Structures are given as C-alpha cells and as structure tokens.
Amino acid sequence: MTPFPFFFIIVFFCLFPFLPSSSSLHYTYNYSLHIDCGGLSNSTDIFNTTWVSDRYFTGGAISVVSEPLHFQHSQEKTLRYFPISSGKKNCYVIPNLSPGRYQLRTFTVYDNYDGKSHSPSFDVSVEGNVVFQWRSPWHETISRAGAYSDLFFTVSDDEANVCFYSIATDSPVIASLEITQIDPASYLVNDTSILVNYGRFSSGSDQWGPGFSNDTDRFGRSWQSDADFRSKVAGKTTGATVKAISAIKNVINVDRAPNYFPLKLYQSAVTVIGEGGEFLEYQLPVDAKLDYLLWFHFAEIDVSVNKAGKRVFEIVVNGENVSRVDIYKEVGSFAAYDFKYVVKNLSSAELSVRFVPVVGAPVICGLENYAIIPADLKTLPAQVVAMKALKESLKVPDRMGWNGDPCAPTTWDAWEGVTCRSTTNGSLVISQIDLGSQGLKGYISDQIGLLSNLVSLNLSSNSLGGSLPWGLGQKSLVKLDLSNNKFTGPLPDSLASSPLQIVFLNGNALEGQVPEELLSIGVHGGAIDLSGNKGLCGGPTLPDCPLFWSKNCLSTAGKVAIGLSCLVFICVVLLVAYICYKRRQNDYDFGLPHEMMSLAAKRNRYQRQKSLMTLEMESQHAKGFIPTYNAT
C-alpha cells in the first residue's frame, strides 16, 4: 500500500478530540477513551475532552517533540516510540470493551524528535488487519506537524488491538489514540471489513468538527474543506467558477441512526456558475486493488429550485455513470439526501468523481471515501488463550514481540518462534513453537493442551521448571524437545497417546516409570533421549523400576496386588458373616412333653416328704426316743 496523502490531515491544533459530553446526552453508544501516548498525567483540552495518561501499551519508551511550541496541547507534545529492542511488534491492547462497532483515531507526528532527520517507516494494524503504512519520506509538513487517521472496525471479543510493526531499523511512533463506540449498523459493508478513511469533505466551508470548531459530530468525524480535493471546473466556458451557498433554514432528516450525519454538513454546499454545461470534479488519491465505499451527501438548499426537474445531474465515477440525481424529486427542499456506492477492484491510484449537469448546475454538500479492507484470517480464539497463557508462564521477553494476535496479520510473520498455518474453515492455528535457548525461566502452562494442531514443540536449553502438564501430548504432536531444563515429576500419560517420532527429555530431573509406548519410538525408527534424569526407570538405558512402584506412586502391578488382597479380605469377611448367620438359624428352642413335666412334679413332692421325715427322725433321736411305724 502507498501512503494515504489526503488521509493524513496536517494539524497545528489539538488532535481532534471526541465530542463534549453534552453533545451525546441522547446518544446510546457513549463509550470513548482518549489516550495521550507518552503522557505522564491526565489533562483536559479546550474542548473539554479528558485525555488519560499513557496506558495499555506493551513496550516502547516515551519522548517529547523537538519543537513543542509548534503544538498547543499536551497530547500533541508527547510520544511513545518502539525501538527495535522492544521487538518488531508492539501494541496498545485496550481492554474491557463491549462487542460492537468502533471508530479509531490516531495522531502521528515525527517532528524529528530523535534528531535523526529521518521519518520512520512502519505499519499499523487493527484487530490483526494491516490498515495503513507510513513510508519514508513523508511530506515535510506531515512529518513535522503531524497527521490524523481514522477508521471504523468491529470488536468481536472484549478488547481492541492496535499494533505497530517496525520496518528495518525504524522505530514506530504514536502521539495519541482515541476509540469511541458507534452504532453497530453504521457504515456497515459487512461484519468483518474495516473502513479506512481516505477522504471526508464538507463543501462550501472550512475544516470543522471536534478539534477544529465547536461544531459537533457524534462520531468525532472531522470534515475538511472540499477545496483540498476539487480538481477542476470544466465545461463550455473557461470563466466558470465554483459558488458556495448556505441554507437559510435548518435542513431536516439529519443526525439520524445509524450514521448520525450532522446538521452542519447540509447547511452549506457548492455549485457551478457559468453559461451552462459546467461540471464539478474531485480527484481522490487511493491505493489500487482495493474496493472503496463512496458516501454522497446532498440537500437542495437553493430556494430557486422549487420543483422536481429544475436541477438534475449525473454522477460519474472513473468514467462510469453510476446515478442520475434529482434532489428535489427525492426528498424535496431543505432535506438531507444520502446514498452510497461501492467501487470494485480499483485498478488505478486515483479515483475520479465527476458531477455532470443535465438540467441546471450540479450541487453537493459533502463526500466520504473509505477503503474497504477485508478482514484477514485470525487465530482460533482458544489457541489465542493458550498462547497468552504460555507467554505468561514461560516469561517470554518483550524483545520477542509476543503481542496481539499470535498469527495475524498474515502479511507479517507470526510471533517470534511461532509458526502458523491456515485451516480449511478459514482460521489460523499454531503448528510449531521453537523457543530453544531463549533464557526462559518459567514453566509450561497447562493451557498448552488447547493447541490441538501443534506438531513441534522445542523449549530446549532454557531454565524452565515444574512438572510437565497433563495436557502436553496432543494427538498432532510429532516432535518434542524439552532437553536441558529443570523439569521434575513424572511423565504425563498423554505423551504415550501422541504420534511422537522425536522425543528429547534428557538433562532434566524427571521421575517415575517411562511408558512402554514412548520406549517403542526408538524401535520404530524414531529418536528418543531420556538420559540425565536420575529418577526415570524402566527403559533400556535406565534402571529397573521397583516391583510395585512407578512414577512416584504405585505401579499397575502394585495396584493389582492391592486390589486382589482387598478382594480376598472382603471374601473372607463375607464367608464368616455367612457362617454366623447360618448358626443363628440352627439354634432351636425345644419344649418338654406334658407327661415329663407331671413326672418331674411328683418326684419333687416325694423328695420334699423324704426330707421332712429325715428331719423328724433326727429330732427324735436327739431326745432318746425312737418312734415305731406301722407297716401299713
């Protein structure tokens, strides 16, 4: 892409702040954030816009412009720049956003802040899509006075990523960032494309809007004068001139959803004065091979045009007649009339828009031109989560540029040490991670299991520790090199189910029995090295494992033995219980027959009588008298 000459507006004032709060009292989408990049404290400008001190950046350093007197406001005088030591990719990651449509505005100024007299070249991406490039050399006025860029994009998660890519040895630089939520249906071409402003003008007036005047625009759009784009007035005479006209009363049907075009846009217009047949033409510098969205704004504010057919003209875009316009016929007088047109696959670097008269002279209130940047492929959200977790756990240094989307934009390389590939469903996935000898000192996050397409993982020769996560061992993993680190604990069982062909785990402090499936890698033509792990056992070059112990816990044989012992014990207990139960069943209560009970009673009476006789005889004997008894 070439520079956007008219996309960057030279500014010597403040950086186009968003609307004062009073202008958006009835506007539903009122989130806005204004970051003073490089600023150390919050400030409020003359338009009552609050600028927060620098935040949400991933790297870089702060500086000030070399000639601060050229700038009136604090957000213009401070910078954040990203030297090569910060990595080739640095971002502002703006959190806590609601999914929806947003406008982003950036202000970029070089001003020879580093004394090198060399305007840097760098790319800028939003949500993983390259949106514009700064190419050296800039026009002198742009490089010293600064320029703004704005675009519309969609946030699908809860954060926005604005990233800067260093080209060669240049340091990207940014002075301020502004983001505001807008109506989700505004300027909507589709749900994924980004619309980059390539020109926005208001006819018959000077530049206006937030940052230039007190005239408000709910979206924070700044409107340039059409004189910056108007190329010629041509026709039958050479004396034709452009005439600016103003409305004598308010125009209706303005400031409506979803685009909320402001009233001031329709309060002025330009037309042509001459003998007839003169046309207006605007030349819009563009980049080839892109589609462009043109948005036309009209209002019949000339009181002399009081019926249909008095002003009719044709719109010709790059030589193609795209529409015939009769404003009064469409909406009447003093009413806004807008329509859009998409230019497909532009082949030239210039877009011509001509207004050719049919009846009367053409008139126009304003025109907008946006490049339609198709959405690039993005990394699967789950894998983005995994990579962010790895960035934290592995303590990846800033110089490696692990910021933003791990794989997007595809025009740039993925994160350093990361290789991606596209899938059939149009997403990007992580296929390789190569971070050998990078001085890493953390551990492997268990979120690595989300990298379901990972083929090769190399974290060798670092100082990583902790145990190997159980999620390690994806079904896609072919090569694993974790050698010469400080990993401890057992090998995860998931490794045994991976199609691994190369495994280097030597030089760690791993423990326990090695799964037979891993040991078979060497037998089947692969390579495996487990040396230098004193706690590992069970391999051809490793000590034997204890009979009933493996991986710092019971082995399978030990578990089986304990299981059988428990089974035998339970069986014995059940058998004893059964025997006791049967014995209780056999303890019968016998009853004596009636005759035996009667006989026992008689025997008891006889014994009592005999005892009484014996006692009587003993008593008589004691007295010297022995009684006699009849035989009967």
Side-chain angles (χ1 to χ4, degrees), residues 535-611:
L536 288 181
C537 62
T541 61
L542 301 174
D544 295 333
C545 296
L547 181 60
F548 296 127
W549 200 252
S550 173
K551 297 182 181 179
N552 294 328
C553 61
L554 285 172
S555 66
T556 302
K559 294 176 182 177
V560 171
I562 291 178
L564 291 175
S565 299
C566 292
L567 181 61
V568 171
F569 176 76
I570 292 173
C571 290
V572 171
V573 171
L574 291 175
L575 180 60
V576 171
Y578 177 75
I579 293 173
C580 293
Y581 173 74
K582 296 303 290 183
R583 283 186 175 179
R584 290 184 60 188
Q585 289 264 329
N586 293 330
D587 286 342
Y588 298 108
D589 186 11
F590 294 98
L592 296 176
H594 177 72
E595 292 79 3
M596 293 183 68
M597 294 290 291
S598 177
L599 181 61
K602 290 181 178 180
R603 183 176 180 275
N604 289 338
R605 286 197 301 270
Y606 170 75
Q607 291 291 341
R608 285 196 298 272
Q609 289 178 355
K610 183 178 180 180
S611 297

Side-chain angles (χ1 to χ4, degrees), residues 127-368:
E127 295 294 274
N129 302 272
V130 174
V131 291
F132 58 83
Q133 302 170 327
W134 284 92
R135 295 296 190 189
S136 179
W138 295 344
H139 189 280
E140 179 63 21
T141 54
I142 291 179
S143 65
R144 298 195 67 80
Y148 90 95
S149 313
D150 69 84
L151 54 87
F152 301 110
F153 71 105
T154 299
V155 173
S156 57
D157 49 15
D158 61 349
E159 64 182 26
N161 293 271
V162 182
C163 299
F164 304 84
Y165 302 82
S166 177
I167 299 175
T169 59
D170 291 345
S171 299
V173 61
I174 182 70
S176 69
L177 288 173
E178 303 174 78
I179 184 171
T180 187
Q181 188 174 16
I182 60 178
D183 192 298
S186 60
Y187 292 102
L188 197 60
V189 177
N190 54 53
D191 292 335
T192 56
S193 294
I194 293 177
L195 297 181
V196 180
N197 175 21
Y198 268 61
R200 181 190 299 120
F201 66 76
S202 173
S203 302
S205 65
D206 295 328
Q207 186 164 269
W208 59 274
F212 292 102
S213 70
N214 289 327
D215 299 294
T216 60
D217 184 305
R218 293 190 188 276
F219 281 14
R221 290 163 294 207
S222 292
W223 298 80
Q224 297 171 256
S225 169
D226 73 318
D228 298 330
F229 302 92
R230 192 170 60 239
S231 62
K232 65 180 73 174
V233 178
K236 296 179 180 179
T237 68
T238 58
T241 59
V242 174
K243 177 185 177 181
I245 58 177
S246 300
I248 61 175
K249 62 180 182 179
N250 284 343
V251 177
I252 62 173
N253 298 335
V254 301
D255 199 29
R256 292 186 172 186
N259 295 319
Y260 294 93
F261 296 122
L263 171 63
K264 184 176 175 63
L265 175 62
Y266 305 94
Q267 294 292 95
S268 64
V270 294
T271 185
V272 182
I273 298 177
E275 296 182 3
E278 294 81 13
F279 61 83
L280 285 170
E281 185 175 41
Y282 295 91
Q283 297 292 337
L284 310 177
V286 292
D287 291 322
K289 299 181 180 180
L290 289 176
D291 296 343
Y292 290 86
L293 172 66
L294 295 174
W295 209 290
F296 297 89
H297 303 286
F298 303 101
E300 187 53 79
I301 57 177
D302 187 344
V303 293
S304 65
V305 179
N306 51 20
K307 65 178 181 179
K310 292 193 70 173
R311 189 196 303 275
V312 182
F313 56 92
E314 293 179 339
I315 300 177
V316 180
V317 177
N318 276 7
E320 180 182 353
N321 192 329
V322 300
S323 180
R324 174 168 288 194
V325 178
D326 185 338
I327 304 170
Y328 195 98
K329 179 180 180 180
E330 295 292 340
V331 295
S333 60
F334 292 93
Y337 174 55
D338 309 290
F339 73 90
K340 62 184 178 181
Y341 176 74
V342 175
V343 183
K344 295 285 188 178
N345 196 24
L346 195 65
S347 59
S348 64
E350 193 171 77
L351 183 60
S352 169
V353 180
R354 181 178 296 184
F355 301 90
V356 180
V358 176
V359 178
V363 68
I364 182 172
C365 292
L367 175 65
E368 298 174 87

Side-chain angles (χ1 to χ4, degrees), residues 104-146:
L104 174 74
R105 183 196 303 273
T106 65
F107 180 77
T108 306
V109 59
Y110 172 60
D111 195 50
N112 197 28
Y113 75 93
D114 55 3
K116 295 182 178 180
S117 298
H118 167 66
S119 302
S121 299
F122 59 92
D123 287 355
V124 180
S125 76
V126 175
E127 295 294 274
N129 302 272
V130 174
V131 291
F132 58 83
Q133 302 170 327
W134 284 92
R135 295 296 190 189
S136 179
W138 295 344
H139 189 280
E140 179 63 21
T141 54
I142 291 179
S143 65
R144 298 195 67 80

Side-chain angles (χ1 to χ4, degrees), residues 324-481:
R324 174 168 288 194
V325 178
D326 185 338
I327 304 170
Y328 195 98
K329 179 180 180 180
E330 295 292 340
V331 295
S333 60
F334 292 93
Y337 174 55
D338 309 290
F339 73 90
K340 62 184 178 181
Y341 176 74
V342 175
V343 183
K344 295 285 188 178
N345 196 24
L346 195 65
S347 59
S348 64
E350 193 171 77
L351 183 60
S352 169
V353 180
R354 181 178 296 184
F355 301 90
V356 180
V358 176
V359 178
V363 68
I364 182 172
C365 292
L367 175 65
E368 298 174 87
N369 182 31
Y370 297 95
I372 303 174
I373 307 297
D376 205 342
L377 299 179
K378 291 181 173 55
T379 308
L380 282 176
Q383 300 207 8
V384 174
V385 171
M387 294 301 290
K388 289 182 177 179
L390 281 176
K391 175 186 176 181
E392 297 299 322
S393 69
L394 297 176
K395 302 187 185 304
V396 177
D398 292 340
R399 59 179 170 78
M400 300 192 72
W402 278 37
N403 302 304
D405 191 298
C407 301
T410 54
T411 51
W412 277 86
D413 295 335
W415 288 0
E416 185 174 344
V418 176
T419 302
C420 305
R421 68 173 181 84
S422 59
T423 63
T424 55
N425 62 2
S427 298
L428 297 172
V429 294
I430 314 297
S431 60
Q432 298 182 46
I433 299 177
D434 187 356
L435 297 178
S437 303
Q438 294 295 334
L440 308 180
K441 297 181 179 180
Y443 63 95
I444 301 178
S445 168
D446 56 5
Q447 297 291 317
I448 195 172
L450 297 175
L451 301 180
S452 56
N453 306 92
L454 189 64
V455 176
S456 175
L457 176 63
N458 176 18
L459 300 175
S460 62
S461 301
N462 288 291
S463 298
L464 300 172
S467 59
L468 301 183
W470 296 106
L472 182 62
Q474 294 84 339
K475 293 183 179 180
S476 58
L477 194 62
V478 175
K479 178 182 178 181
L480 177 64
D481 188 352

